[in-house]
Amino acid sequence: MDEAGFAALLNEFRAALGEEWVWSGDSAMFPYRDSFSPVWNTGEERHASAAVAPANVEQVAQVVRIARNHRVPLFPISTGKNYGYGGPSPNVNGSVVLDLKRMNRVLEVDEARAFALVEPGVSYFDLYNHIQERGLKLMLDVPDPGWGSPIGNSLERGVGYTMPHFRDHFGSHCGMEVVLPDGEVMRTGMGAMPGSGTWQEYPYGFGPDPAGLFAQGNFGVVTKMGFRLLPLPEYYRTGAITVPRRRDFVKLVEHVNYLSDSGLIGEVRFSSPLTALFADPAFFALATQEGGPADADMDAAAEAAGLHSWQVELQFFGPEASTQANWDYAKDRILSDIPGALAMDGDHFPLPASEEQRLNTTQPFNTTIRRNGALGVPSLGIWEIVRDDGHVGFFPVLPRTADAVFEVQRVLGDALKEFPTLPPFFNALTMPLFWHTHTFQMVFAPSIRHDDPAHNDITHRAMKKAVAVAAEHGWGDYRAAPIYQDDVSATYSFNNHILRRFHEQLKDAIDPDGIIAPGRGGIWPRRFRA
Amino acid sequence: MDEAGFAALLNEFRAALGEEWVWSGDSAMFPYRDSFSPVWNTGEERHASAAVAPANVEQVAQVVRIARNHRVPLFPISTGKNYGYGGPSPNVNGSVVLDLKRMNRVLEVDEARAFALVEPGVSYFDLYNHIQERGLKLMLDVPDPGWGSPIGNSLERGVGYTMPHFRDHFGSHCGMEVVLPDGEVMRTGMGAMPGSGTWQEYPYGFGPDPAGLFAQGNFGVVTKMGFRLLPLPEYYRTGAITVPRRRDFVKLVEHVNYLSDSGLIGEVRFSSPLTALFADPAFFALATQEGGPADADMDAAAEAAGLHSWQVELQFFGPEASTQANWDYAKDRILSDIPGALAMDGDHFPLPASEEQRLNTTQPFNTTIRRNGALGVPSLGIWEIVRDDGHVGFFPVLPRTADAVFEVQRVLGDALKEFPTLPPFFNALTMPLFWHTHTFQMVFAPSIRHDDPAHNDITHRAMKKAVAVAAEHGWGDYRAAPIYQDDVSATYSFNNHILRRFHEQLKDAIDPDGIIAPGRGGIWPRRFRA
């Protein structure tokens, strides 16, 4: 596109949206760079050329039609945070960011039927405040930090901290409105039936349901989305259980699976009391040794230190007596099966929690992030643990077994020894996250520094290696920044990449010129593949 | 297609599958007619011309390629039951039924991780027996009857009787293998990553998820599917609550919503003790009167009879003490809020249930169908309530409120007075089903009789009228027989039928000639639209 064409494009946007809602030029576009980028200020960084902020769905459709006429790719964002996964930066240089921040209305929250309908610019803070102001007895499941949006987070398949089916933010959506690449407005599920009152109660409607195409993809611009909410439980309770030996983790995981799949517990935190020994160089060497330590050596270290090998923190939501019954059951079940296991009652109180209860850091779930998350309160606690200027994230999905955890510890631990300046993310104590409803994930989140390209290069190469080595073992990433989306997509290669080829066929049918986010999720339309 | 072409087609199928797995001719094709059809033996009945039964996914792909070469539509079925919704009969006359009954392997059931992976020909009986034979502590959520298959039922968005997220059979799937219209084999979610062990633990993989396109649709032939299973709860408990006045239903529904969305109860049954008064002509006239009865008149009738207006039966799954705590909570919550409400403890016992406990009909959940379903035991109990030679089903989705229930009672009650020979499905006591996770549905299931075309014509016209009138009020059908799919699809008309037009665009891209089930879900490919 030449300068005159670009100027004409911006003029059309200005005519449609108003002067003040169209931006271009380096300083205006600075906020649309990914400040967590490992390729910051390098040739690999992806830069948008302009940004536009429509006020409503009609303006979104107008923007899409204008972009289509000019064959310019749009990159839709909701609040544009998504740090660690590319922030607001596009897959394709020269894209126009379609910033939906002005569409920030909470359209409906129904207490008796436990749902919300929101626009993309609504943040978790906004929705939380709306619920508090109206005094509704509903609980959000929030990611951290809370300035992201339910729509953006769920389309990225973000997760939270409460009960299993609410933690999967995409899975808990119900009903979607989308502007398609030709500017038409579509609604999924019961939203397709005029006058239906059940758009947020039944997700499927009749016939096929295309909703899944709009997560981590580029088939349209989501402009409204409904979410199921957890009725505010009357009571909250925590407890922790420790087990002495390394192999006890096998049974511990199986019991936690049972409790979770039975709906008795919320998100759990696995950890190891042995982390306290990392300061001892001999223990550190053992926990990070090539090929992984022998169980007996780890058990000997634990015994010498008088520490248990593993801990799990549990949380319970519900009527007070039910949370007690569920915690008693969890203790009985695990302590009767694992010799030497110990249980510690945590704190417990009616909901909503007082400020003091919420910030009580002497208890399980004792970081600000986790406690706020567990109680459905959005915060910015994540910033307490961001190192350097930010990080990128690789969160591979692995089987929900202890043996899979041990294998990831060993395989990725060994693979990343090539990068000795990075922290030993994968070592004999690396724990799985149990965020998504039924699966484990691991964390690899190496930092970036704006003024240290050599460090960033290490992070960048380590990310690519981790993705590749993990894939050799069947552990796939669930979410990625644009600069890694092709790498990750390539690892989902069953039958000569048929899933990607199928998506390309569909994309070509509705958006051959790639007006909506070409390359997102690894899907390139015909024009860009050629 | 001429006779020679048809013979050549069958010969190719025979060469691919073997002589014995290809059928044609009236007598061989009789089992592929819909024996519940209201257009039985009329010109509207849809007839397949042949049927083929491949043994494995490679043969499915071969069948698809042969059909593609001959431009002949296939109609895939799993076990082919689907009674009330068209049975095994296709949308298009002359289709070849792709009968997947031979693909009946239970591929994997994992107790500690609570999932199953099955082929389409596996019935609920098969999967149940597999679990029992291995002594696995897992519970199925079954529809009734149990000869249907988890794959077929979930692709039709069937439902069951246990905990909310398991009752939605499509929603509880995790991972899918599909033969696409060009014969390529695709896997969704983690199945797209070779060597992944998490196909049944994480549904999304990376990038968009097309799985929703394959339910009630025609984008491919599903050849494998994973399902999340409920770990066998230790204990089962029932209880019932009645409320005296008609308007008490408003609060009763809200409390049940809370209990269900909080994960404290399984499926519920709403009913009315006043049903006992239907034999009294005066009461019958009141309950079916045009415009609906006044609340005061219904309350007077209830009081005169010494009966309560509504009843809800609750069921609890979990550790024994937890089921007691949850039931106590439900009683306290409802009885303290609704004056005159009464609670009755039901039976309760450890799982698995004994035969005697399972068939105890003196308790809430006291029909064979419901009790078997509640306990996850497949049965053929549905046949106890099939009238005449069968029925067709219209199950509109409505808001999860009492007022919506009252409105449907009145509106559809009045609309169907045109058909006085049908039972008064919609009257002042018609109750919602709470099968799907978050929504209510109503039942309209008029019967058919093979030897009574006049009766069938009434049923057929009543179905069409019910679909149309319900849609005017925003109540949409969730599932339909081929002969009603265009009617139902047409009611999901938001923005000039954009959802259907979007699906048509996608269908044209991958299957313009309509090799896979043209017309299914209301989606016709280019060749058939022209």
Side-chain angles (χ1 to χ4, degrees):
Chain A
M1 174 169 266
D2 61 17
E3 262 185 63
F6 185 62
L9 172 72
L10 295 190
N11 280 336
E12 283 187 50
F13 283 140
R14 288 188 189 108
L17 309 181
E19 293 279 340
E20 66 272 46
W21 303 115
V22 178
W23 300 273
S24 66
D26 283 355
S27 66
M29 292 305 294
F30 187 84
Y32 293 104
R33 291 176 62 183
D34 173 20
S35 73
F36 278 31
S37 176
V39 293
W40 182 258
N41 276 346
T42 76
E44 280 194 71
E45 193 185 348
R46 316 280 171 95
H47 295 274
S49 63
V52 298
N56 51 48
V57 65
E58 293 76 20
Q59 290 193 353
V60 172
Q62 271 184 286
V63 166
V64 168
R65 282 191 220 102
I66 292 168
R68 195 177 168 97
N69 288 339
H70 288 265
R71 298 181 83 220
V72 168
L74 297 170
F75 189 74
I77 63 173
S78 40
T79 59
K81 305 305 182 193
N82 205 22
Y83 287 115
Y85 302 104
S89 74
N91 293 72
V92 169
N93 282 323
S95 296
V96 174
V97 176
L98 175 49
D99 187 343
L100 303 173
K101 64 185 173 188
R102 292 172 69 202
M103 296 171 63
N104 60 359
R105 291 178 301 163
V106 175
L107 297 167
E108 189 176 2
V109 179
D110 190 301
E111 184 181 55
R113 293 150 74 194
F115 65 75
L117 178 67
V118 297
E119 291 186 327
V122 170
S123 71
Y124 283 96
F125 284 121
D126 295 335
L127 184 53
Y128 178 80
N129 291 338
H130 175 102
I131 288 169
Q132 299 313 307
E133 280 160 20
R134 287 179 55 196
L136 304 178
K137 294 200 165 181
L138 293 169
M139 190 173 202
L140 291 182
D141 189 287
V142 302
D144 196 277
W147 59 11
S149 70
I151 289 185
N153 190 266
S154 67
L155 291 178
E156 282 286 320
R157 307 219 183 87
V159 284
Y161 295 91
T162 70
M163 292 297 284
H165 286 95
F166 296 91
R167 293 205 303 273
D168 173 356
H169 293 168
F170 185 78
S172 66
H173 101 268
C174 191
M176 205 184 261
E177 178 185 87
V178 185
V179 175
L180 296 171
D182 60 2
E184 293 261 29
V185 180
M186 181 172 85
R187 290 183 177 175
T188 69
M190 299 309 294
M193 169 161 279
S196 147
T198 48
W199 196 12
Q200 276 64 62
E201 291 184 318
Y202 186 63
Y204 306 124
F206 179 76
D209 172 22
L213 295 178
F214 302 102
Q216 293 190 357
N218 50 22
F219 289 94
V221 182
V222 178
T223 49
K224 289 185 184 68
M225 215 161 152
F227 295 94
R228 301 299 317 170
L229 303 179
L230 184 62
L232 185 69
E234 292 192 355
Y235 210 79
Y236 176 73
R237 181 182 302 275
T238 64
I241 291 174
T242 64
V243 295
R245 289 160 303 272
R246 185 163 175 82
R247 291 298 301 175
D248 291 335
F249 195 50
V250 174
K251 280 187 173 178
L252 186 64
V253 166
E254 291 187 0
H255 288 301
V256 167
N257 288 350
Y258 180 95
L259 296 171
S260 180
D261 290 342
S262 301
L264 303 176
I265 56 172
E267 187 246 6
V268 305
R269 185 163 83 110
F270 291 108
S271 61
S272 174
L274 303 185
T275 307
L277 305 181
F278 263 150
D280 169 5
F283 181 82
F284 184 87
L286 177 67
T288 59
Q289 83 178 33
E290 181 109 19
D295 292 345
D297 293 342
M298 290 296 285
D299 284 346
E303 203 169 337
L307 292 171
H308 272 196
S309 290
W310 307 112
Q311 172 168 301
V312 66
E313 293 159 45
L314 304 174
Q315 52 175 348
F316 305 85
F317 300 89
E320 179 172 358
S322 304
T323 63
Q324 182 71 59
N326 291 343
W327 169 225
D328 288 344
Y329 177 77
K331 281 188 283 194
D332 287 351
R333 184 178 175 96
I334 298 175
L335 270 55
S336 67
D337 192 45
I338 303 178
L342 294 173
M344 288 151 289
D345 291 348
D347 63 347
H348 51 94
F349 43 79
L351 294 179
S354 69
E355 185 83 357
E356 190 185 355
Q357 286 162 339
R358 185 163 61 81
L359 300 178
N360 179 354
T361 55
T362 67
Q363 296 292 331
F365 285 83
N366 61 357
T367 65
T368 308
I369 299 175
R370 297 183 65 78
R371 181 56 81 106
N372 278 308
L375 299 175
V377 180
S379 76
L380 292 175
I382 194 78
W383 297 104
E384 295 168 15
I385 58 168
V386 169
R387 288 154 294 108
D388 298 337
D389 293 324
H391 58 264
V392 275
F394 170 57
F395 286 69
V397 170
L398 65 153
R400 209 172 46 160
T401 68
D403 283 320
V405 172
F406 295 150
E407 194 187 350
V408 176
Q409 290 173 344
R410 192 176 63 244
V411 168
L412 289 183
D414 288 354
L416 294 170
K417 285 195 195 309
E418 180 186 337
F419 308 100
T421 57
L422 298 182
F425 282 96
F426 296 97
N427 59 66
L429 303 185
T430 304
M431 290 284 83
L433 298 169
F434 194 1
W435 276 345
H436 267 103
T437 310
H438 305 297
T439 201
F440 279 172
Q441 289 175 279
M442 291 293 214
V443 182
F444 180 55
S447 76
I448 63 96
R449 299 173 194 148
H450 285 166
D451 58 359
D452 189 347
H455 173 77
N456 295 346
D457 181 60
I458 289 167
T459 286
H460 195 36
R461 286 188 294 116
M463 280 289 290
K464 287 187 175 252
K465 181 163 184 183
V467 168
V469 171
E472 287 165 16
H473 293 79
W475 309 317
D477 201 2
Y478 91 119
R479 180 178 180 185
I483 56 169
Y484 300 119
Q485 288 175 3
D486 289 330
D487 297 280
V488 172
S489 172
T491 65
Y492 287 81
S493 61
F494 176 80
N495 187 16
N496 190 23
H497 304 271
I498 181 65
L499 181 62
R500 189 170 68 196
R501 289 186 286 124
F502 179 70
H503 284 139
E504 285 169 353
Q505 262 190 301
L506 301 187
K507 178 74 173 170
D508 287 352
I510 63 163
D511 188 17
D513 284 349
I515 301 310
I516 309 294
R520 190 155 189 273
I523 299 157
W524 295 96
R526 189 181 297 126
R527 173 186 173 200
F528 287 85
R529 289 201 307 277
Chain B
M1 174 169 264
D2 60 16
E3 263 184 60
F6 185 63
L9 171 72
L10 295 190
N11 280 334
E12 283 188 50
F13 284 140
R14 289 189 189 108
L17 309 181
E19 292 280 340
E20 66 272 46
W21 304 115
V22 179
W23 300 273
S24 66
D26 283 356
S27 67
M29 293 305 293
F30 187 83
Y32 293 104
R33 290 176 65 183
D34 173 20
S35 72
F36 278 30
S37 176
V39 293
W40 182 258
N41 275 346
T42 76
E44 281 194 71
E45 193 186 346
R46 316 281 171 95
H47 295 274
S49 63
V52 298
N56 51 49
V57 65
E58 294 75 20
Q59 289 193 353
V60 172
Q62 271 184 286
V63 166
V64 168
R65 282 191 220 102
I66 291 168
R68 195 175 169 98
N69 287 340
H70 288 265
R71 298 181 82 220
V72 167
L74 296 170
F75 189 75
I77 62 173
S78 39
T79 59
K81 304 304 181 192
N82 205 23
Y83 287 114
Y85 302 104
S89 75
N91 293 72
V92 170
N93 282 322
S95 296
V96 174
V97 176
L98 175 48
D99 187 342
L100 303 173
K101 64 185 173 186
R102 291 172 69 201
M103 295 171 64
N104 60 359
R105 291 178 301 163
V106 175
L107 297 167
E108 189 176 1
V109 179
D110 190 302
E111 184 181 56
R113 294 150 75 193
F115 65 75
L117 178 67
V118 297
E119 291 186 327
V122 171
S123 70
Y124 283 96
F125 283 121
D126 295 335
L127 183 53
Y128 178 80
N129 290 338
H130 175 102
I131 288 169
Q132 299 313 308
E133 280 161 21
R134 288 179 54 196
L136 304 178
K137 295 199 165 183
L138 293 168
M139 191 174 201
L140 292 182
D141 189 286
V142 302
D144 195 277
W147 59 12
S149 70
I151 289 185
N153 190 265
S154 67
L155 292 178
E156 282 286 321
R157 305 217 184 89
V159 284
Y161 295 90
T162 69
M163 292 297 284
H165 286 95
F166 296 92
R167 294 205 302 272
D168 173 356
H169 293 168
F170 185 79
S172 66
H173 102 269
C174 191
M176 205 184 263
E177 179 185 85
V178 186
V179 175
L180 296 171
D182 61 1
E184 293 261 30
V185 181
M186 182 172 84
R187 292 184 177 175
T188 69
M190 300 309 293
M193 168 161 279
S196 146
T198 49
W199 196 12
Q200 276 63 63
E201 292 185 317
Y202 186 63
Y204 307 125
F206 179 77
D209 172 22
L213 295 179
F214 303 102
Q216 292 190 358
N218 51 22
F219 290 95
V221 182
V222 177
T223 48
K224 290 187 183 67
M225 215 160 152
F227 294 93
R228 301 299 316 170
L229 303 180
L230 183 62
L232 185 69
E234 293 192 356
Y235 210 79
Y236 176 73
R237 182 182 301 275
T238 64
I241 291 174
T242 64
V243 295
R245 288 160 304 271
R246 186 163 175 83
R247 292 297 301 174
D248 291 336
F249 196 50
V250 173
K251 280 187 174 179
L252 186 64
V253 166
E254 291 187 0
H255 288 301
V256 168
N257 289 349
Y258 180 94
L259 295 171
S260 180
D261 291 342
S262 300
L264 302 177
I265 57 172
E267 187 247 5
V268 305
R269 184 164 84 109
F270 291 108
S271 61
S272 173
L274 304 184
T275 307
L277 305 180
F278 263 151
D280 169 4
F283 181 82
F284 184 87
L286 177 67
T288 58
Q289 82 178 37
E290 182 110 20
D295 292 345
D297 293 342
M298 290 295 285
D299 285 346
E303 204 170 333
L307 292 171
H308 272 196
S309 290
W310 307 113
Q311 172 168 304
V312 66
E313 292 159 44
L314 304 175
Q315 50 175 349
F316 304 86
F317 299 89
E320 180 172 358
S322 304
T323 63
Q324 183 70 58
N326 291 344
W327 169 225
D328 288 345
Y329 176 78
K331 280 188 283 193
D332 288 351
R333 184 179 175 97
I334 298 175
L335 269 55
S336 68
D337 191 45
I338 303 179
L342 295 173
M344 289 152 288
D345 292 347
D347 62 348
H348 50 95
F349 43 79
L351 295 179
S354 69
E355 186 81 358
E356 191 186 355
Q357 286 162 338
R358 185 163 62 80
L359 300 178
N360 180 355
T361 56
T362 67
Q363 297 291 330
F365 285 84
N366 61 357
T367 64
T368 309
I369 299 175
R370 297 183 66 78
R371 181 57 80 105
N372 278 306
L375 299 175
V377 180
S379 76
L380 291 175
I382 194 77
W383 297 103
E384 295 167 17
I385 58 168
V386 169
R387 286 156 294 109
D388 298 338
D389 293 325
H391 58 263
V392 276
F394 170 56
F395 286 68
V397 170
L398 65 153
R400 209 173 45 162
T401 67
D403 283 321
V405 172
F406 295 150
E407 194 187 352
V408 176
Q409 290 172 346
R410 193 177 62 244
V411 169
L412 289 183
D414 288 355
L416 294 169
K417 286 195 194 310
E418 181 185 336
F419 308 99
T421 59
L422 298 182
F425 282 96
F426 296 96
N427 59 67
L429 303 184
T430 303
M431 290 284 83
L433 297 169
F434 194 2
W435 277 345
H436 268 103
T437 310
H438 304 297
T439 202
F440 279 172
Q441 289 175 280
M442 291 293 212
V443 182
F444 180 55
S447 75
I448 63 98
R449 300 173 193 148
H450 284 168
D451 58 359
D452 190 348
H455 172 78
N456 295 345
D457 181 60
I458 290 168
T459 285
H460 195 35
R461 285 188 294 116
M463 280 289 289
K464 289 190 174 249
K465 181 163 184 184
V467 168
V469 172
E472 287 165 18
H473 293 80
W475 309 317
D477 201 2
Y478 92 118
R479 180 176 179 186
I483 56 169
Y484 300 118
Q485 288 175 2
D486 289 330
D487 297 279
V488 172
S489 173
T491 65
Y492 287 81
S493 61
F494 176 80
N495 187 17
N496 189 23
H497 305 272
I498 181 64
L499 180 63
R500 190 171 66 196
R501 289 186 285 122
F502 179 70
H503 284 141
E504 285 169 353
Q505 263 189 301
L506 301 187
K507 178 73 173 171
D508 287 352
I510 63 162
D511 188 16
D513 283 348
I515 301 311
I516 309 293
R520 190 156 189 274
I523 300 156
W524 296 96
R526 188 181 297 128
R527 173 184 172 200
F528 287 84
R529 289 200 306 278

